[in-house]
Amino acid sequence: MLICIIQTLTVNSIDVKTTSGVVRGMTLQVLNKTVDQFLNIPFAEPPVGSLRFAPPVPLKQPLKRFLYGDREDAPGNVGLYDQLLALKWVRENIHSFGGDRDQITIFGESAGSISVSAHILSPLSKGLFKRAIMESGAHMYNKDRDVVNTTEALVEAKQIAKQLKCNETEHWLQCLRAVKAEDILKQSQSLRFAGYPVVGTTFLPIPTHMALKNKQLYTDIDLLTGITANEGSSLVALVLKVYDIKSVDEFQAYVKQSDDKYHGLDVQKVTDFYLQSVDTKR
């Protein structure tokens, strides 16, 4: 005999009027408390056709990432612009959900933490949040320069175009907009800078180390930071395609490979730090 026991969950719909229309959520009973849940709230037009690579357009979205086209309709950092528009939407509508627009906290881990730090650095995000939590990631990789500038980003964008049989003339960006999103994503996996915020743009106008030196960043916030133990080690295989290091020489070679992307690493210091408790003579 098969006995099925089904636990029912009390669910009631709830409608809230926002600047982009009425959104419908659910009131749930969770751990003897009432929780209002709203999922998949639309706040921008889908990034398709001429809107691909462009900043998000509010409603009257996804291929986002950071492809830079050196044009107003492809300014790079579009994933961050997407978050920026979401932040503006939250600030405009949070009161309708019982929140306080002057007490907004943004939080991210790993790549999400890098996004949080980018908003702290960006003049476009100033005033949109009160607190920030950065867990194991920041948009600063060394004291001298950022990972990718506009020149490097444009070279890689045109490299994607060439690989997808879009020539490098003035029409290469329009050509890419007609390519399947999955084909672009597939090609971008092999690039050095895919997914990194681009500096020297409207969103991030100055390098991180200069912003810190000259205090040109969003300082009027409460900031909580932390790390995730051993996350860097777990990302080695993803970033460097390294799966088995067998010698000190191999380790140093991969540190040097990291330096090609992140710039300014002292290979010997990195080696000494990470191998200080390892018997390298065995």
Side-chain angles (χ1 to χ4, degrees):
M1 178 183 294
L2 178 64
I3 301 176
C4 294
I5 301 176
I6 301 177
Q7 180 179 4
T8 60
L9 184 66
T10 302
V11 178
N12 297 307
S13 64
I14 177 174
D15 293 344
V16 174
K17 186 177 181 180
T18 73
T19 54
S20 53
V22 176
V23 297
R24 173 162 293 179
M26 297 181 293
T27 299
L28 310 176
Q29 295 296 325
V30 181
L31 300 176
N32 298 319
K33 294 183 179 295
T34 299
V35 178
D36 293 335
Q37 174 181 274
F38 296 86
L39 303 176
N40 301 320
I41 298 178
F43 59 91
E45 296 290 346
V48 297
S50 63
L51 295 183
R52 180 182 283 184
F53 313 128
V57 177
L59 283 174
K60 315 199 244 240
Q61 98 200 32
L63 180 67
K64 290 291 186 182
R65 296 179 72 83
F66 295 93
L67 188 141
Y68 174 74
D70 193 27
R71 292 167 38 158
E72 186 176 344
D73 60 347
N77 300 318
V78 185
L80 294 172
Y81 277 104
D82 200 31
Q83 297 168 9
L84 177 65
L85 184 58
L87 270 172
K88 291 179 178 179
W89 190 96
V90 169
R91 185 167 171 80
E92 291 173 355
N93 292 283
I94 194 171
H95 63 281
S96 298
F97 299 87
D100 185 342
R101 61 181 286 163
D102 296 320
Q103 299 295 328
I104 294 173
T105 300
I106 60 174
F107 166 75
E109 191 274 335
S110 193
S113 184
I114 293 175
S115 290
V116 170
S117 67
H119 286 289
I120 295 173
L121 292 164
S122 176
L124 303 185
S125 302
K126 184 173 177 59
L128 295 180
F129 55 95
K130 175 62 178 176
R131 298 179 178 88
I133 302 173
M134 294 168 50
E135 180 66 30
S136 200
H139 183 62
M140 183 169 183
Y141 307 92
N142 67 69
K143 61 183 178 62
D144 297 319
R145 60 158 294 176
D146 291 279
V147 169
V148 55
N149 57 36
T150 53
T151 301
E152 294 164 327
L154 185 60
V155 168
E156 289 218 327
K158 289 188 174 183
Q159 183 179 337
I160 291 179
K162 186 176 181 179
Q163 290 170 343
L164 293 170
K165 296 181 172 37
C166 293
N167 61 43
E168 299 181 29
T169 68
E170 61 185 63
H171 301 297
W172 67 273
L173 198 57
Q174 288 88 330
C175 176
L176 276 181
R177 287 189 168 119
V179 175
K180 292 182 179 179
E182 53 267 30
D183 292 338
I184 295 178
L185 289 174
K186 182 179 179 180
Q187 290 295 334
S188 69
Q189 300 307 312
S190 62
L191 300 180
R192 291 173 59 203
F193 305 125
Y196 290 94
V198 182
V199 176
T201 58
T202 301
F203 195 94
L204 291 170
I206 62 176
T208 306
H209 66 281
M210 293 301 299
L212 292 171
K213 179 180 179 180
N214 300 326
K215 297 183 179 180
Q216 293 176 272
L217 65 159
Y218 188 9
T219 59
D220 190 23
I221 60 169
D222 300 324
L223 178 62
L224 176 66
T225 65
I227 61 172
T228 301
N230 301 320
E231 183 182 24
S233 299
S234 67
L235 291 175
V236 168
L238 177 64
V239 176
L240 301 180
K241 314 301 181 187
V242 178
Y243 303 96
D244 185 19
I245 298 177
K246 297 180 179 179
S247 69
V248 175
D249 289 341
E250 284 187 1
F251 182 89
Q252 291 183 325
Y254 289 124
V255 174
K256 180 60 174 67
Q257 186 178 333
S258 299
D259 184 59
D260 293 339
K261 175 177 289 189
Y262 298 112
H263 316 295
L265 296 180
D266 188 316
V267 175
Q268 191 58 52
K269 283 186 177 181
V270 172
T271 302
D272 293 342
F273 178 82
Y274 282 100
L275 301 185
Q276 58 184 313
S277 59
V278 177
D279 183 0
T280 59
K281 297 179 181 180
R282 296 180 58 184

